[in-house]
Amino acid sequence: MADAPVGRRIVVGLLGLGVLGVAFGARAANGIAELMAPIEERDPTGLTGLIPAAGGFRYYSISGGEPLRTPQDYRLTVGGLVERPRTYTYADLAALPRTRMVRDFQCVTGWRVPSVPWSGVRLSDLLDAAGVAPAARALACTSFDGADTESLTLDQARRPDVIVALGMYGKPLTRAHGGPVRLYVAPMYGYKSLKWLSGITLTDRVVPGFWEHNGYDVDGWVGRSNGRGDAPTS
Ligand SMILES: Nc1nc2c(c(=O)[nH]1)N[C@H]1C(S)=C(S)[C@@H](COP(=O)(O)O)O[C@H]1N2
Ligand SMILES: [Mo]
């Protein structure tokens, strides 16, 4: 876990971009963010190997590698404040109704990949199946990289554009992009889309995750959070 000064540096950097947005307009600020991205990215990801990847994506891994689960040994547990805790296999998830959407993918550091086709299971379907207890207010999600964590409020998690993703670009999700299963939170910055998803625990309050401990907003809305003036994702 990085310490507080790192987090503050990021916040200051992002606020600076917000000021530029006022002076030059949001488009210019986006362009500047692109130029500055390599510097910005080094801050939150002191632990990270950043590799520019195909199609404008950058691979992120705070654990410094790509953990491996095959579809055969993959498991997703749903527990905490639920009536029916459950462990899903990959085959269980693949058999559930599939949601598809084409949306931009945007990292808070400025890079954006337009019109990415995603497919997966609505998180709300898994929550309904689990029977969320009345005391539950939020979700704490874990990754089988053993490092990254993310939170969502229950209301955010129930949105129809928040999925447990199994596919990207019409193919099974690749290992580098968080396969076999990752979160995909369409309206929020990329850090909310936890890769290599392994667990969902219903909690009575928001438990800030890795990126929030490193200075990012718990609510990661594109264009509204983290002091950025990005256009909303399409
Ligand atoms: N497990 C894990 N999930 C993660 C990250 C990470 O480092 N580890 N990085 C996040 C960030 S900051 C972004 S922008 C996206 C990047 O997704 P990609 O690696 O598929 O491009 O993954 C998010 N999910
Ligand atoms: Mo990111």
Side-chain angles (χ1 to χ4, degrees):
M1 200 68 52
D3 53 13
V6 174
R8 271 200 297 278
R9 222 163 53 227
I10 299 159
V11 171
V12 169
L14 293 172
L15 287 176
L17 290 176
V19 172
L20 287 170
V22 173
F24 301 116
R27 275 192 85 85
N30 278 343
I32 291 161
E34 292 282 351
L35 290 174
M36 291 181 65
I39 305 156
E40 294 279 338
E41 280 162 5
R42 242 171 267 136
D43 279 345
T45 56
L47 320 156
T48 307
L50 266 180
I51 310 158
F57 273 95
R58 282 157 191 267
Y59 294 141
Y60 271 62
S61 178
I62 61 169
S63 62
E66 292 174 16
L68 177 62
R69 293 278 190 287
T70 65
Q72 286 68 41
D73 60 22
Y74 178 79
R75 297 289 182 278
L76 172 64
T77 58
V78 181
L81 297 172
V82 297
E83 283 149 20
R84 296 174 292 278
R86 172 149 186 205
T87 300
Y88 290 86
T89 64
Y90 185 83
D92 292 335
L93 293 172
L96 293 174
R98 201 65 78 94
T99 292
R100 285 163 217 285
M101 61 186 123
V102 178
R103 300 288 299 267
D104 295 354
F105 190 84
Q106 168 138 11
C107 173
V108 70
T109 56
W111 56 271
R112 178 186 283 212
V113 184
S115 304
V116 181
W118 295 91
S119 78
V121 177
R122 281 200 176 136
L123 191 45
S124 63
D125 288 350
L126 300 186
L127 296 177
D128 290 346
V132 174
R137 294 285 175 276
L139 284 68
C141 301
T142 53
S143 166
F144 59 79
D145 69 4
D148 205 358
T149 54
E150 262 308 328
S151 65
L152 290 170
T153 68
L154 203 45
D155 285 348
Q156 291 165 358
R158 284 194 162 126
R159 290 174 56 110
D161 54 358
V162 175
I163 63 172
V164 168
L166 283 73
M168 208 173 105
Y169 292 115
K171 301 202 183 86
L173 202 60
T174 62
R175 182 176 170 192
H177 282 302
V181 177
R182 81 183 290 174
L183 270 185
Y184 175 56
V185 182
M188 295 198 181
Y189 288 110
Y191 65 90
K192 301 300 289 190
S193 292
L194 183 70
K195 303 203 290 186
W196 309 299
L197 179 67
S198 60
I200 298 172
T201 304
L202 277 287
T203 54
D204 62 0
R205 76 201 68 178
V206 169
V207 182
F210 172 85
W211 297 94
E212 289 77 32
H213 281 295
N214 283 277
Y216 293 137
D217 289 355
V218 172
D219 295 333
W221 306 111
V222 173
R224 283 195 270 147
S225 303
N226 300 294
R228 289 187 59 95
D230 302 304
T233 51
S234 64

